[in-house]
Amino acid sequence: MEFRYASLPHRVIFGAGSSRTSLAAEVEALGAERLMVIASDRDTALVDELLAPWRDRVAVRFTGVRPHVPDSVAAEARRMAVDHRVDGLVSIGGGSTTGTAKIVALTTELPIIAVPTTYAGSEMTPMWGMTTAARKETGVDRRVLPATVVYDSDLVATLPVDLAVASGLNAMAHCVEAYWTEASNPIVRLIATEGVQALAEGLRGLAGTERASGASAADAGTDTAAARERLLYGSFLAGMAFATAGSGLHHKICHALGGAFDLPHAQTHAVVLPHVLAFNAVAAPESAAMMARALGADDAVAGLRDLASAIGAPRGLAELGLTREQLTEAIDLVAGRLPIANPRPVDRADVEAILTGAFSG
């Protein structure tokens, strides 16, 4: 056995209530005196509460967060950081919020404290993304890796169940792809397997929830606190696995769809994942077997599809708003990125089959 494994310099605070008990100390330890707080307008009440103990250190708040980090948002956030002589960043929110902080850090090298409120997992990675002219550009740079991540399962208690489901499957996609990228190794696969199991258990914990619009994870079942904690733990592991393994066919498809058509990020991952898994599982039987065991199933593909059905995951790209005309453009976009390293060789016909299947669900 031969492999290489590089551990990234993570500092993680994990625990219910930790954003209220530990965040102020982490801000103090960062040593920054002129912070930029990055958070969406919809999280204003939460942000006001969390920053109260260190309000005097906040130089500016940026609330113009948008999915896929359009270049106009990046430019405005970077301008504000420079104009206000910011010396540190605190992001409080989901993957788009973390992504905005990363784009600022990419050019300023400012340290980030990330407080995730969804199951994105991107806070554990040195990956960044930005959309310019409907095309999403991504890269890897250690300057964007948060210095500290504070995981507090209390902060996902009000997450709408449909978004919690999509976000959890987004994290699952990080784990699944980590099994077979070129940079994968036995350690990453162990982390990914633990992540798949934790995410599946957490998602099943929400399965009995009524998924009416606005329903939240706090409304589900009798043991939702444990389910939220398992999901957050799984997303942490998913981010760790993705940080080392990097992206492959699945993420390249989802990035193309999100950048070109502004499809919702987490839901797009949730829809596409079973189709890419079905395509690749036959070429990576050992990894598929590990995944199946983590899902509590005999077959990885069937296990993932059963889980998605049980938790009410979105089924097709058409459901997310993609039109048939855009489907043709999407196939051209992804095919234009070939060759893509993958455990099974992939050509244009394969891309067309995967996306056509994902379109109809």
Side-chain angles (χ1 to χ4, degrees):
M1 179 187 299
E2 294 184 6
F3 65 89
R4 296 181 181 182
Y5 179 78
S7 181
L8 295 172
H10 300 298
R11 174 170 171 78
V12 173
I13 310 297
F14 191 103
S18 57
S19 64
R20 293 170 175 86
T21 61
S22 301
L23 181 56
E26 294 304 314
V27 168
E28 179 71 25
L30 193 67
E33 299 292 340
R34 298 188 59 79
L35 292 165
M36 174 188 275
V37 174
I38 299 173
S40 170
D41 275 332
R42 65 177 174 270
D43 292 323
T44 296
L46 170 65
V47 173
D48 285 344
E49 177 189 353
L50 295 184
L51 65 77
W54 39 277
R55 186 181 302 275
D56 59 334
R57 293 176 182 261
V58 178
V60 64
R61 290 168 67 164
F62 180 81
T63 59
V65 176
R66 283 186 55 200
H68 309 295
V69 194
D71 55 352
S72 58
V73 170
E76 177 63 11
R78 288 167 169 171
R79 182 194 64 76
M80 288 178 65
V82 172
D83 288 353
H84 290 269
R85 295 177 287 110
V86 169
D87 59 359
L89 308 169
V90 178
S91 67
I92 303 172
S96 298
T97 304
T98 304
T100 303
K102 287 181 171 185
I103 283 298
V104 175
L106 184 65
T107 55
T108 63
E109 301 188 30
L110 293 171
I112 303 170
I113 296 176
V115 185
T117 60
T118 66
Y119 306 114
S122 60
E123 62 280 348
M124 291 301 297
T125 80
M127 285 79 166
W128 57 268
M130 183 172 69
T131 301
T132 303
R135 297 294 181 267
K136 189 164 185 176
E137 176 189 6
T138 60
V140 179
D141 195 308
R142 289 204 180 194
R143 290 177 295 180
V144 310
L145 183 72
T148 300
V149 182
V150 178
Y151 284 106
D152 180 354
S153 56
D154 288 349
L155 300 188
V156 293
T158 58
L159 193 65
V161 171
D162 56 352
L163 181 54
V165 164
S167 185
L169 287 172
N170 179 15
M172 184 80 76
H174 298 337
C175 291
V176 171
E177 192 143 75
Y179 280 103
W180 44 55
T181 65
E182 289 184 306
S184 184
N185 60 59
I187 309 303
V188 169
R189 288 190 285 275
L190 285 173
I191 295 171
T193 300
E194 175 75 0
V196 168
Q197 182 174 341
L199 290 164
E201 290 172 355
L203 286 166
R204 291 189 187 105
L206 302 181
T209 305
E210 182 181 356
R211 293 176 183 84
S213 177
S216 70
D219 303 319
T222 58
D223 198 16
T224 55
R228 293 196 304 268
E229 187 168 86
R230 290 298 282 168
L231 275 168
L232 204 57
Y233 172 62
S235 70
F236 156 58
L237 294 172
M240 285 187 65
F242 185 50
T244 299
S247 65
L249 176 63
H250 170 85
H251 281 82
K252 285 178 171 52
I253 289 173
C254 292
H255 288 163
L257 292 170
F261 310 111
D262 199 27
L263 296 184
H265 180 79
Q267 290 87 341
T268 301
H269 279 275
V271 167
V272 171
L273 180 60
H275 300 274
V276 177
L277 175 59
F279 180 76
N280 278 336
V282 294
E286 292 184 8
S287 292
M290 293 175 69
M291 199 182 314
R293 289 192 294 271
L295 289 167
D298 295 328
D299 176 80
V301 178
L304 181 62
R305 291 190 184 279
D306 288 347
L307 174 65
S309 177
I311 62 180
R315 300 184 63 87
L317 294 172
E319 181 182 330
L320 303 184
L322 193 75
T323 67
R324 284 206 170 271
E325 292 75 18
Q326 290 172 326
L327 173 62
T328 300
E329 183 182 348
I331 293 167
D332 290 338
L333 279 174
V334 178
R337 299 187 178 191
L338 296 173
I340 297 173
N342 197 58
R344 178 180 172 185
V346 55
D347 59 22
R348 181 187 172 84
D350 297 322
V351 170
E352 183 174 1
I354 291 168
L355 282 173
T356 300
F359 179 78
S360 62

